[in-house]
Structures are given as C-alpha cells and as structure tokens.
C-alpha cells in the first residue's frame, strides 16, 4: 500500500513507540526476576532421618468365623397342556381306490384287498424334502520363484561364465515326465464334458497299461522295463524310466515304488539339511519352571595378553529348497442307500505318480580328498499310494430290521436336469535356484553364505457335505471318478571345483546329493462299489417319475436294501450325475549350482574348514480323497465300467559327460580374473557415454546454461 510522506512519518513514529514500550515492560519483569533470584530460600530443605518401626502383631491368616449359606433357587411348577386326542376313523376302501395322498408325502399300503383298511387322521405328518444343490469348485494354487544368485567373496574382480544350459535341461526333463502322464488337461464348457473327460481318461489309462504290459513282456533298450541299461545319446545323456502299473490295488495294502510294503514316514526320509526337519525337543522336556525364563549365556575368560585365535571356516549352502503341496478332499455331496441308473455307469479310481530327477555332479580333483565328498547320501524317491474301500452296509446288523418290515411310505424331491459334484484342485510350485559362487577363506574370519532354502507351500482342505437319501433315481448316466496326479521334477546337476592355486589343509566336506522326491496319495471310498443290473420295478419307477407320476410299486418298496426303514426319502434326477474329484500336484525345481573355490586375494588362509552343501532339496506331494458312494446297491440299466488303477513312475536322467569331466578344469575355463583397469563405471554401464556430462545440472533443461538469455 502506498502512503504519503506525512502518513509514512506517523506510521514510523507509532512503530518506534511500540518498541520502546515493549522494552520497558521486559526490563520491569527482568528486574523482578533478578530480585527474587537473589533472595534467600525461606523454606529449608527436608532432611532424611532414619526411622525404626516395629509392630508386636503378626499376620497369621485370621478366620472371622462367618458362615454364610445362600438361599436355594425357588422352584416353580410348570403346567403341561395335553394335546387334544383325535378319534381315528376307520374307512373301508376297495382294491381299485388309489392311495391316499398327503401334501409332500405319499402313503401306499403294500397289500390292498377288498377288506383292507387304511387308517388316517388329521394329524398326519407333512415332510418337506429339499433337493441337494450342485457344486463346482476349481482351485489353482501356484508359486513361482526365480532366485539365481551370484556370490563373490574375497576373490577379487572375477567374471563367471555359466557352464551349460541348466534351464534347457530342466525343460527337457519336465517334458520327459509329461510323456508318462496319461491324463490330459480338459476344458469344461458343459456338464457333458465332465462325462467325456471321465470316459476318455479311463480309455487312456487302459491303453497306457496295455503298452506298459507289452514292454514288460518284451523289453527293448531304452524302454521302461526293469533293465536299467539304457543307450547314451550323442550329447552324453541317458534317460532311464521304470513304470509300475497295478490294475486292482484296492484292499491290497500300501504300494511303495510298485511293491506292497510298509508305509515309510516322511520325517525319517527328509534330508539332514532340509528346513522341513523338526528341531529335537529339549533334553529335560516340558515347560520351564516359573521364574526360570531367562536365556542362558555361556562364555569364557582369557587371562593375560597375547594373540586371540579365531576359527577360520567357510560354510556355503546353495540348496535346501523345500516344495510342498498338500490337499484333502472329502466328498459327501450326494449320499444314498440305493442308486438306480437308467443309463450307463462309469466308476474310476486312479492314482498317477511320477518322480523325475537328474543329479549328475562334477567334483574337482582338488576337493575329492575331502571327507564326505565321495561318500554322500544319494537322491531318494518314493511313490506311495493306497486305495481303500469301506463297505458300511456289510457291517450293519439285520435282527431289528427284520422285525420292522419294509417301508410303506415315501417322500419325493426332484432335480430337473443334471447334478454336478466337481472339485478340481491344481497345485504348482515352480522354483529356479541356479546359484553361482566364487568363494575364498580369509584368516581369522568365519564365513557363512546361504543362497538357497527357498520354500513354497500350497495347502488346501475341502469338505463337500450335502444330503443323504434312501433312494436316488437317475434318468441319465452316472459318472463317479476320483483321480490323483502327482509329479516331481528335480534338476540338481552341480559343479564344485577350484581355480588355479587353491589349496587347503583344513577339514572339508562337500554334499551335492541327499535330495528327496516324495509322492503320497490315498483314495478312500465309503460304500458299495459293485453294480448290478437294473430290476424291472426300478426301471418302471424311473419312467413313471419322468412322466410326473411319483409312485413306487411294491417291487421297489420290498427291496432288501430297504428292510427296516419306516419310510423312504427319494431323490429323482431327470438328467445325469457327474461326480468328479481331481487333484493335480506338481513340483518343479531347478537347482544346478556352480561353485568355484579360490584363494583370498588379501589374506588367504590355507587351514580353513570348508562345508559346502548344494543338494538337500525336498519335493513333497501329499493328497487324499475321501469319497462317499451309495451305501447299499447300485442298479444300472445300461453299460457298466469299473476300474481301479495305480501308476508309479521313476525317471532318472544322467549326464555322463558332466560326471566324467574334472570340475577344476571346467571352473578354470569359466572364471576370468579381471584387472583393475578392466573394471569401473564405464565397464559396469556400457551406455554410460550416452549420459549427460557432469557439469550440466539435472535441474536445468537448457544445455547452454542460459548464457545467451
């Protein structure tokens, strides 16, 4: 704001006056403060005097002698009102009179004669029976991880060129495993596609079993017979496959790698260095005593002066990966005593297990003399499967049922169309952990390096609980399939060698194996698995229900499966039943590590202790299906197909060229030591010459620094 000369002079004067007044106030407060500060303290400080206190009384848990008993609860009488009694009416009916129909409930006397009577009263029960709903579940659990590490400790400036193509080898091994998987991934666009998948899978498994049987009778080199001698290709790689097919495994016990044996425990087979190994319990066991929850610290005392020696060691772990898939499916969506099927019946229980691995290692001559370099645990693989059928109807007693007789009443509910019970589970762990390390030991230094121990877990539990009926009438087909597919693929081709000049006098150990591939599957079926021909009475009932006449003849009611039941709960399905439980589990791990041992460029130590672990991987699949089938009978009017099949396959890939070559020679060809003039910003960034010069500030957009502005 612009002021004239007089107004501006007045404003300056007022401002100076305010400043002078404020200074006077501050001086007055300051003088008062200094006066109080100089005055002596009139209140003397408190003196701490010791006081002795003693009481002649002791606490001895006094009892006041009060006894109080609360009054009891008051009891109130309850008047029960009796229901009114209804007088039953005896109505004589003839043989031509149709049965009496109640809302939602049908009653029929099994034997009607001219002198028979039907007893009824106004208090007859009314049942409302609901149909079961269809369920379709598709779950996909996928873990994908790429963890390719490069470690250089104490070796100076080095450049490590990868040896071979581990990713291509892993892809080839996975492709070989898929050749032994006779189940193809479908796409469901309609309910009928589920039935087509069950039928095609059953036919594919039969063809696969026939092919394996023919190769077992006339084995040829490179086939899946028991002869492990397989031809070696031009690239020095051989693939050996062993396939075991069991066509009737139900009730025979547990199959381990194609043979009936005692089921092993997973904890007993885990690699020693696996992260899945449980820590042993404390020696004393139990919880610590109250008050003793502090940590225990141990130490030592060094007397005098001198040099304190430290342990010199190197511990390198590039393996120890754990891939776990676990799934449990309980299917009781539709349970019943008797299933009457007008069409065809397909029943399939199948377990397909595949373990494929390659564990070809090259260990240099410089470390071959170390302990455990040649005597180490090899890779182990287990295919474990079990199929069990529990016939609950065979264990039920019949003494009280015979006295009760057959039912004479039924209640009906209906599903127009198809019924679907689908649980499709897919679990995948895919991990790439190809590590490269150039490592050395330094005097007085303890080095611990871990580039592995990746863990992938997939877990799922499904319980599909529906409804139960005494009789299920099916106008179409009945498809019932339980399938478990498990695949483990492991590539663990490791190279451990030393560059020129490396030598060590300390203790050393190298472990490149001790891997575990584990497949464990079980299918438990509760109910009857046998199917019989469809009686005429049931076939007539299905046709009548399809025409809208919901009546049951005495031929149906007097079936032995209904003995002892007072009435029947009936479900009519005009279409087909598609009951498919499928679990597909896959673990794929690439752990091809390349290790180069070198001398430290600054302070090398030749007496260091070395511990190198490149294996100890665990690939675990665990699956279980519990399926509730019809409890009493399955009557089929069309074709019947029933099959239980178990396929267990081991695929071993061997790289003979890698195993016969000296790892020291491979490492010296791959490792290149760089001089100081070969490293720097220009070598680290090949496009550094394209950057702006340092004298141009990044905040300026004008490269001429505004000199011409």
């Amino acid at each position: 704001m612009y002021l004239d000369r007089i107004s501006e002079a007045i404003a300056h004067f007022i401002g100076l006056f305010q400043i002078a007044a404020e200074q006077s106030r501050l001086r007055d407060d300051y003088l008062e403060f200094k006066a109080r500060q100089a005055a002596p303290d009139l209140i003397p400080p408190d003196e701490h005097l010791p006081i002795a206190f003693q009481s002649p009384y002791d606490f001895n848990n006094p009892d006041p002698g009060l006894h109080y008993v609360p009054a009891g609860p008051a009891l109130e009488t309850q008047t029960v009102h009796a229901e009114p009694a209804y007088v039953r009416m005896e109505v004589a009916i003839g043989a031509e009179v149709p049965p009496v129909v109640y809302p939602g409930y049908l009653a029929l006397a099994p034997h009607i004669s001219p002198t028979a009577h039907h007893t009824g009263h106004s208090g007859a029960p009314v049942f409302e029976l609901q149909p079961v709903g269809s369920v379709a579940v598709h779950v996909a659990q996928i873990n994908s991880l790429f963890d390719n590490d490069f470690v250089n400790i104490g070796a100076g400036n080095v450049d490590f060129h990868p040896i071979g193509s581990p990713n291509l080898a892993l892809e080839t091994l996975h492709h070989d495993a898929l050749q032994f998987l006779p189940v193809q991934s479908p796409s469901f666009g309609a309910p009928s596609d589920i039935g087509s998948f069950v039928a095609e899978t059953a036919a594919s498994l039969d063809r696969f079993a026939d092919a394996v049987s023919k190769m077992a009778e006339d084995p040829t080199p490179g086939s899946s017979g028991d002869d492990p001698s397989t031809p070696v290709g031009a690239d020095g790689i051989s693939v050996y496959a062993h396939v075991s097919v069991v066509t009737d495994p139900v009730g025979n016990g547990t199959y381990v790698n194609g043979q009936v044996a005692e089921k092993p425990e997973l904890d007993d087979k885990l690699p020693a260095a696996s992260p899945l190994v449980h820590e042993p319990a404390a020696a004393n066991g139990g919880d610590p005593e109250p008050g003793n929850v502090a940590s225990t610290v141990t130490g030592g005392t060094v007397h005098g002066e001198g040099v304190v020696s430290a342990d010199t060691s190197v511990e390198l772990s590039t393996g120890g990966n754990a891939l776990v898939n676990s799934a449990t499916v309980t299917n009781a969506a539709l349970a019943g005593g008797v299933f009457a099927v007008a069409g065809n019946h397909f029943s399939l229980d199948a377990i397909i297990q595949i373990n494929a691995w390659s564990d070809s290692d090259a260990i240099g001559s410089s470390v071959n003399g170390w302990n455990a370099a040649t005597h180490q645990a090899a890779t182990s693989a287990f295919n474990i499967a079990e199929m069990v059928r529990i016939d609950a109807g065979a264990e039920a007693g019949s003494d009280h049922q015979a006295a009760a007789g057959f039912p004479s009443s039924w209640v009906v509910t209906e599903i127009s169309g198809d019924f679907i019970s689908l649980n499709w589970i897919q679990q995948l762990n895919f991990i790439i952990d190809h590590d490269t390390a150039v490592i050395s030991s330094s005097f007085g230094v303890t080095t611990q390096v871990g580039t592995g121990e990746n863990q992938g877990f997939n877990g799922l539990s499904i319980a599909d609980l529906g409804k139960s009926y005494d009789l299920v009438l099916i106008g179409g087909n009945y498809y019932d399939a339980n399938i478990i597919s498990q695949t483990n693929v492991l590539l663990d081709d490791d190279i451990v060698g030393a560059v020129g000049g490396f030598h060590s006098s300390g203790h050393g150990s190298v472990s490149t194996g001790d891997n575990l591939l584990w497949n464990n599957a079980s299918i438990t079926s509760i109910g009857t698995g046998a199917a019989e021909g469809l009686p005429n009475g049931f076939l007539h009932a299905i046709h009548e229900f399809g025409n809208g006449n919901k009546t049951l003849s005495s031929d149906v009611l007097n079936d032995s499966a209904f003995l002892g039941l007072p009435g029947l709960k009936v479900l009519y399905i005009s279409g087909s039943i598609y009951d498919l439980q499928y679990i597909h589990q896959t673990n794929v791990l690439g752990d091809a590590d390349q290790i180069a041992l070198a001398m430290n460029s600054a302070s090398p130590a030749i007496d260091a202790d070395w511990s190198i672990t490149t294996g100890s991987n665990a690939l675990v699949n665990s699956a279980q299906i519990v399926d509730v089938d019809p409890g009493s009978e399955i009557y089929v009017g069309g074709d019947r197909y029933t099959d239980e099949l178990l396929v267990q396959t081991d695929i071993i890939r061997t790289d003979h060229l890698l195993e016969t070559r000296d790892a020291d020679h491979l490492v010296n060809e791959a490792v290149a030591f760089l001089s100081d003039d070969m490293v720097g910003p220009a070598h680290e960034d090949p496009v550094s010459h394209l950057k702006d010069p340092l004298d141009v500030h990044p905040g300026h957009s004008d490269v001429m620094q505004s000199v011409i502005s």
Side-chain angles (χ1 to χ4, degrees), residues 11 39 238 245 313 433 467 519 563 597 695:
S238 64
V245 178
S313 62
D433 185 31
K467 299 181 181 297
N519 287 322
L563 181 63
L597 309 181
D695 55 349

Side-chain angles (χ1 to χ4, degrees), residues 583 667-668 706:
I583 299 178
V667 166
N668 280 278
S706 302

Side-chain angles (χ1 to χ4, degrees), residues 257-536:
N257 295 335
Q259 302 294 330
V260 178
E262 184 179 357
K263 181 179 179 180
E265 296 294 335
L266 176 61
D267 293 340
D268 299 336
K269 303 299 180 180
L270 286 173
S274 173
L276 300 180
V277 176
H278 298 288
E279 293 292 337
N284 52 0
D287 297 332
E289 297 181 359
N292 296 331
V293 296
S295 302
T296 302
V297 180
T298 60
T301 304
V302 178
H303 299 280
E305 298 180 357
V307 179
V308 179
S309 61
D311 295 335
T312 303
S313 62
V314 178
E315 181 179 349
L316 175 64
S317 176
T318 60
N321 301 286
L323 289 70
V324 180
N325 290 317
S326 177
T328 301
V329 175
T330 301
N331 175 38
L334 177 58
V338 176
F339 277 37
V341 186
N344 303 324
H345 176 227
F346 291 86
S347 177
L348 174 63
D349 291 340
I351 297 178
I352 302 98
Q353 297 174 320
I354 301 174
N355 281 325
W357 72 92
S358 177
D359 190 12
S360 300
D361 304 316
I363 301 178
S365 57
S366 300
V367 298
N368 254 337
W370 288 359
N371 296 334
T374 56
H375 302 86
Q376 57 177 323
T379 295
S380 56
F382 293 90
N383 287 319
I384 307 169
E386 183 180 16
M387 292 187 183
V388 179
R389 178 168 293 277
I390 302 175
D391 192 352
E395 302 176 358
S398 60
D399 295 340
H400 65 283
Q401 295 179 352
F406 293 96
S408 60
S409 305
W410 65 92
V411 60
V412 180
T413 187
E414 180 181 357
I415 296 178
S416 299
D418 301 322
F419 171 76
I420 300 175
S421 175
L422 173 64
N423 289 299
W424 187 279
I425 312 301
Q426 290 178 298
Q427 295 177 324
L428 170 63
N429 286 315
F430 184 85
I431 294 181
I432 300 296
D433 185 31
H434 302 319
D435 299 325
T436 305
V438 181
I439 191 167
S440 63
S441 61
S442 178
F443 178 76
V445 176
T446 299
T447 304
Q448 293 180 343
V449 180
T451 60
E453 295 191 5
N454 301 291
Q455 301 181 32
F457 291 91
N458 289 318
L460 180 67
S461 178
I462 294 179
D464 189 0
L465 308 179
K467 299 181 181 297
S468 177
Y469 305 89
D470 301 317
L471 174 61
V472 179
L473 301 176
I474 305 169
N477 302 321
Y478 178 25
Y479 296 91
D480 182 16
N482 303 304
I483 303 174
I484 297 178
S485 173
Q486 298 175 323
T487 304
N488 288 320
V489 179
L490 169 65
L491 178 71
D492 187 35
D493 296 346
D494 301 318
I495 299 175
V496 180
V499 300
F502 174 82
H503 59 282
S504 176
S505 61
H507 173 77
S509 64
V510 177
S511 176
T512 58
D514 197 18
N515 301 292
L516 174 64
L517 289 80
W518 181 277
N519 287 322
N520 183 18
S522 66
I523 296 178
T524 302
S525 301
I526 302 175
T528 180
E532 301 178 1
L534 182 65
N536 293 330

Side-chain angles (χ1 to χ4, degrees), residues 117 123 170 229 241 244 299 335 371 373 381 390 396 422 450 546 553 574 585 607 630 656 693:
H117 294 81
L170 179 62
S229 59
S244 175
N371 296 334
I390 302 175
L422 173 64
S553 65
S574 62
Q585 298 175 325
D607 58 347
H656 298 275

Side-chain angles (χ1 to χ4, degrees), residues 90-387:
E90 302 292 336
V91 181
I93 57 176
E96 303 299 330
V97 178
V100 179
V101 179
Y102 295 98
Y105 189 89
L106 301 180
L108 174 65
H111 302 286
I112 300 177
S113 61
T115 58
H117 294 81
H118 181 78
T119 303
H121 57 84
S122 60
V126 178
F127 295 94
E128 294 293 339
L129 187 63
Q130 298 296 328
V132 63
S134 296
V135 176
V137 177
H138 181 196
V139 179
Q141 296 179 320
I142 300 175
N143 291 321
S144 180
L145 174 64
F146 293 84
D147 184 33
N148 299 334
D149 302 317
F150 175 76
V151 179
N152 177 17
I153 298 179
N157 301 323
V158 297
D159 187 12
F160 200 119
H161 298 277
I163 304 173
S165 301
N167 288 335
L168 179 60
L170 179 62
E171 181 181 358
T172 303
L173 183 60
H174 182 248
H175 180 268
D176 294 339
L178 294 181
Q179 303 304 313
F180 294 87
L181 183 62
V183 180
Q184 304 299 326
S185 298
S187 59
F188 298 142
S192 59
D193 295 338
I194 302 177
S196 300
F197 169 77
V198 174
E200 293 173 0
T201 300
S204 177
L205 288 172
D206 290 339
R207 292 192 300 267
F208 183 83
D210 294 339
V212 173
S213 178
K214 292 180 181 179
M215 287 189 295
E217 295 175 357
D218 185 18
T220 57
S223 68
S224 59
D226 292 333
D227 185 11
S229 59
T230 55
V232 180
D235 54 356
I237 297 176
S238 64
V239 178
Y240 163 67
H242 179 270
V243 184
S244 175
V245 178
V246 183
T247 56
D248 190 14
V250 177
N252 294 336
T254 303
Y255 285 84
V256 180
N257 295 335
Q259 302 294 330
V260 178
E262 184 179 357
K263 181 179 179 180
E265 296 294 335
L266 176 61
D267 293 340
D268 299 336
K269 303 299 180 180
L270 286 173
S274 173
L276 300 180
V277 176
H278 298 288
E279 293 292 337
N284 52 0
D287 297 332
E289 297 181 359
N292 296 331
V293 296
S295 302
T296 302
V297 180
T298 60
T301 304
V302 178
H303 299 280
E305 298 180 357
V307 179
V308 179
S309 61
D311 295 335
T312 303
S313 62
V314 178
E315 181 179 349
L316 175 64
S317 176
T318 60
N321 301 286
L323 289 70
V324 180
N325 290 317
S326 177
T328 301
V329 175
T330 301
N331 175 38
L334 177 58
V338 176
F339 277 37
V341 186
N344 303 324
H345 176 227
F346 291 86
S347 177
L348 174 63
D349 291 340
I351 297 178
I352 302 98
Q353 297 174 320
I354 301 174
N355 281 325
W357 72 92
S358 177
D359 190 12
S360 300
D361 304 316
I363 301 178
S365 57
S366 300
V367 298
N368 254 337
W370 288 359
N371 296 334
T374 56
H375 302 86
Q376 57 177 323
T379 295
S380 56
F382 293 90
N383 287 319
I384 307 169
E386 183 180 16
M387 292 187 183

